[in-house]
Amino acid sequence: MDKSAAAADDVERGDYEHERTGTVWTATAHIVTAVIGSGVLALAWSVAQLGWVAGPLALAGFACVTYYTSTLLANAYRAPHPVTGDRNRTYMDAVRSYLSPREVFMCGIAQYVNLWGTMVGYTITATISMVVHRAIRQSDCFHRNGAGASCDAPGTVMMLAFSVVQVVLSQFPGLEHITWLSVVAAVMSFAYSFIGLGLSVGHWVSHGAGLGGRVAGAAAASSTKKLWNVLLALGNIAFAYTFAEVLIEIQDTLKSPPAENKTMKKASMYGIGATTIFYISVGCAGYAAFGSNAPGNILTASGLGPYWLVDIANMCLILHLIGAYQVYAQPIFASVERWASSRWPEAKFINSAYTVSIPLMQRGSVTVAPYKLVLRTVIVVATTVVAMMVPFFNAVLGLLGAFSFWPLTVYFPISMHIAQCKITKGRKWYLLQGLSMVCLMISVAVGIGSVTDIVDSLKVSSNPFKTIS
């Protein structure tokens, strides 16, 4: 089928609302932007809790599961056939095409809570990096006195500044309009990953190149605390690989031919493969360098230097999170706006719009609707308030990983694959269900560990508006 014929078919089915120009490389950029974020900073700590054997195996295992289920999800973009079927523009649309209304409701809860929760996590992470950046500029306080030192950096002001930037960027209509931002963010993610890896290796070499840590992982005050730390580490790793909730939205930016599912599978392989190499390298290098004392955020490690390079890494991280935030926020914006339009179709406020010229935008201008400005601003503000109230870095990442991993990364892709291919009970059916059950048990255990850690942290912390790495 040629390009014009494909476009004609899309128009006939009523699903050609925007120009799709994405390629395997733009999709890879979106994936890398979505995947590499807060999670990479916690990998050294995660490997430290699991040890030299279980740590790398957990990273590789989660990567394999994520890639496999992403290929299943890519096939669900069109229904009923993965190449010639009707488009599903969102994750929920895909679930609606294959599964029951009850499962559609469950998917909506899981997807949008996780999208919003990831925005909260990225706000916390960006604030921590901005605080570290300010501390380095002022007095190198973190590096002289350790990650837990009080450097009198105004975290609340930094968080508000990050949110103001997000309010501005949120006015872009959708992902296809901010490909340039994802490309910049992807480059930044590689930059700070390389810097973090290089600094960890440098610290390891400068301290004799001895293998830090233990095979069984870091010790804890009690066996119960050790169990919570292990579960939290698994949650952090699960969160580090999560991007299923935006996979369909990314795939909806791809041009065809070739078939979108083929392009998306290649992009998933490139994106997950590249991030896995980084994850194992950064996690193991950080554990080798700092042993059981590896911090929750590797860029706040005591003694990591030179300081100016740590500063650059934090700046790259901030720029990356600015773009990654939008990758997760845009599906929420679109969903809320669709609901508002359907709820009040005749409202003058909702139907008014103005055209504004944007120099950096590919099309040169953007249509700004007042109601979108209000809705998107409210969502960003609500996200910021929650981030201020629950600023516990590792625990938040672990909880997000637990909440999103099984339903979004495993259960729904497998269930849709079974429905699409009409797989009946047999060897393959039992293997798929077995994989789903194992991942469910992991998610439940990680969720319990993360909630316990958050409750303990809230008991200790007297100031819920202070970011804790």
Side-chain angles (χ1 to χ4, degrees), residues 30-357:
H30 284 311
I31 291 171
V32 172
T33 301
V35 175
I36 298 184
S38 306
V40 70
L41 303 175
L43 292 180
W45 182 87
S46 299
V47 173
Q49 307 313 308
L50 297 170
W52 280 115
V53 176
L57 285 177
L59 287 166
F62 276 96
C64 291
V65 171
T66 302
Y67 171 69
Y68 174 67
T69 56
S70 70
T71 63
L72 304 183
L73 188 55
N75 287 334
Y77 172 64
R78 287 183 180 267
H81 192 276
V83 177
T84 60
D86 294 338
R87 292 180 189 273
N88 293 306
R89 298 189 193 93
T90 68
Y91 198 123
M92 284 184 66
D93 287 342
V95 174
R96 187 177 292 110
S97 297
Y98 293 101
L99 304 177
S100 68
R102 176 171 166 270
E103 288 170 304
V104 173
F105 177 77
M106 291 170 54
C107 174
I109 296 295
Q111 182 185 12
Y112 288 103
V113 168
N114 183 257
L115 286 170
W116 184 59
T118 302
M119 292 163 60
V120 172
Y122 281 4
T123 302
I124 295 171
T125 308
T127 303
I128 291 173
S129 294
M130 293 167 77
V131 168
V132 174
H133 169 70
R134 180 179 175 87
I136 291 174
R137 291 295 187 188
Q138 287 182 333
S139 63
D140 296 331
C141 172
F142 271 82
H143 299 277
R144 287 188 293 102
N145 302 320
S150 176
C151 298
D152 297 324
T156 301
V157 174
M158 298 294 186
M159 190 174 287
L160 291 175
F162 178 80
S163 299
V164 169
V165 173
Q166 295 304 335
V167 167
V168 174
L169 291 175
S170 68
Q171 301 314 307
F172 284 95
L175 284 177
E176 67 274 8
H177 295 270
I178 54 172
T179 295
W180 60 272
L181 183 61
S182 280
V183 171
V184 171
V187 172
M188 292 298 102
S189 68
F190 279 102
Y192 73 73
S193 294
F194 270 121
I195 292 174
L197 174 61
L199 291 176
S200 295
V201 172
H203 188 277
W204 172 61
V205 172
S206 66
H207 286 73
L211 198 62
R214 305 186 310 159
V215 173
S222 66
S223 58
T224 301
K225 181 62 177 176
K226 173 65 176 178
L227 175 61
W228 296 148
N229 287 343
V230 168
L231 293 176
L232 201 57
L234 292 175
N236 288 345
I237 294 174
F239 175 77
Y241 280 110
T242 183
F243 83 104
E245 59 266 48
V246 294
L247 186 147
I248 296 294
E249 282 79 0
I250 293 173
Q251 193 166 345
D252 194 44
T253 67
L254 298 177
K255 63 182 179 181
S256 63
E260 300 92 346
N261 66 330
K262 293 182 179 179
T263 302
M264 197 65 198
K265 289 176 184 179
K266 288 183 180 179
S268 297
M269 180 178 65
Y270 297 154
I272 295 174
T275 55
T276 300
I277 292 172
F278 272 120
Y279 283 178
I280 293 177
S281 300
V282 171
C284 292
Y287 187 33
F290 299 100
S292 298
N293 295 321
N297 182 338
I298 192 64
L299 294 181
T300 65
S302 179
L304 193 68
Y307 303 147
W308 62 268
L309 198 53
V310 176
D311 199 20
I312 291 176
N314 276 289
M315 289 303 298
C316 290
L317 173 61
I318 293 167
L319 291 174
H320 170 261
L321 292 175
I322 287 174
Y325 185 104
Q326 286 300 313
V327 171
Y328 285 89
Q330 287 294 335
I332 292 181
F333 298 152
S335 178
V336 174
E337 288 157 11
R338 283 195 298 269
W339 173 82
S341 297
S342 62
R343 179 67 177 81
W344 299 286
E346 304 299 329
K348 191 173 182 180
F349 176 68
I350 290 179
N351 293 319
S352 61
Y354 305 91
T355 301
V356 179
S357 298

Side-chain angles (χ1 to χ4, degrees), residues 17-28:
E17 290 187 350
H18 62 83
E19 182 182 2
R20 296 175 175 86
T21 59
T23 65
V24 64
W25 301 115
T26 61
T28 300

